[in-house]
Amino acid sequence: MSSTHPLAFMRLPYPLLTALDSRMYHFWLQPVHYIIRMLHILSSAAFFGIELLFVLAVAQNLDRHVLTSISRFMMRPLHWSFAVVMATGVLLFFYDPVRVGSRAYLTPKLLAIALALLSARLGHRAIFRPIVTSERSVLPSWSGVFCIASCVLWIAVFVFSCFNTEGVPKVYLRHYF
C-alpha cells in the first residue's frame, strides 16, 4: 500500500519500528505516560522560551555585560530543560514506536533536531562561549542572523512535532439550512 503523503518516502521502515516495540515497556510506562508527556511539553516550552530570549538578546545587540549576565543566568536552565526534553522524548517514542514512527513527520522532525543540534554546537563555540567568558569584546556580525536561523530550526522541530501528533482533521460538509 503506497501513501500519497509527500514525505512518505522518509518514514522509518516498519520492520525496524516493530523490532523496537516492547509491550512490557508499554505496560510499565502506561501509569505515568501522561506525566511524562506533560513533562515533555513543559520542558519543551521552557527550552524554547529560554532559547528565544537568548536569540532576541543577541539579535538586538545588547550591551556586552547584559548579554554576559543573561547568558550566565540562562545556561543551566537551558541545558536542564533540553536534557529533560530529550529524555522524555525518547521515553515517549519507545512507548509506542509503531504509532509514533509511522507518522510522516517524524523523520523530518529528527532531521530538524540534528540540524538544530549542529547549529547549537557551532553557535556555542562562536557566540555563546565568547559571551559567557568575555573572550572577545565584539560578537561576529553574523551572530544575530545565525541565532535567528537556529531558532527557525527549533521552530521547525515544534511544527513537525505538531504535525506528527495528530492526523489531518476530518471536515464534514453538511448543509444546515
Side-chain angles (χ1 to χ4, degrees), residues 119-149:
S119 74
R121 176 81 171 148
L122 297 172
H124 191 289
R125 286 185 172 180
I127 299 167
F128 191 69
R129 188 173 30 181
I131 289 174
V132 172
T133 60
S134 299
E135 289 175 6
R136 288 186 235 137
S137 59
V138 178
L139 285 177
S141 59
W142 50 266
S143 60
V145 174
F146 184 83
C147 285
I148 290 171

Side-chain angles (χ1 to χ4, degrees), residues 13-154:
Y14 189 75
L16 172 68
L17 296 174
T18 55
L20 296 173
D21 195 9
S22 166
R23 291 293 95 188
M24 185 60 91
Y25 175 76
H26 182 89
F27 290 126
W28 174 77
L29 196 67
Q30 197 169 19
V32 293
H33 174 255
Y34 286 103
I35 294 171
I36 293 172
R37 281 183 69 182
M38 182 177 52
L39 263 174
H40 185 70
I41 292 168
L42 291 174
S43 58
S44 297
F47 170 76
F48 185 68
I50 295 168
E51 175 77 14
L52 187 61
L53 286 174
F54 180 72
V55 166
L56 290 174
V58 172
Q60 288 182 358
N61 204 8
L62 294 178
D63 290 336
R64 188 51 181 257
H65 70 280
V66 173
L67 272 178
T68 302
S69 298
I70 289 172
S71 299
R72 288 182 181 162
F73 173 74
M74 292 190 305
M75 185 170 28
R76 189 162 291 153
L78 181 73
H79 291 154
W80 274 104
S81 61
F82 180 73
V84 172
V85 167
M86 294 310 281
T88 56
V90 169
L91 289 173
L92 290 172
F93 173 77
F94 284 111
Y95 179 72
D96 195 357
V98 174
R99 185 183 62 81
V100 174
S102 295
R103 300 283 175 115
Y105 289 99
L106 178 68
T107 307
K109 174 185 171 181
L110 295 175
L111 290 173
I113 289 172
L115 290 173
L117 287 173
L118 180 64
S119 74
R121 176 81 171 148
L122 297 172
H124 191 289
R125 286 185 172 180
I127 299 167
F128 191 69
R129 188 173 30 181
I131 289 174
V132 172
T133 60
S134 299
E135 289 175 6
R136 288 186 235 137
S137 59
V138 178
L139 285 177
S141 59
W142 50 266
S143 60
V145 174
F146 184 83
C147 285
I148 290 171
S150 176
C151 194
V152 167
L153 285 171
W154 287 115

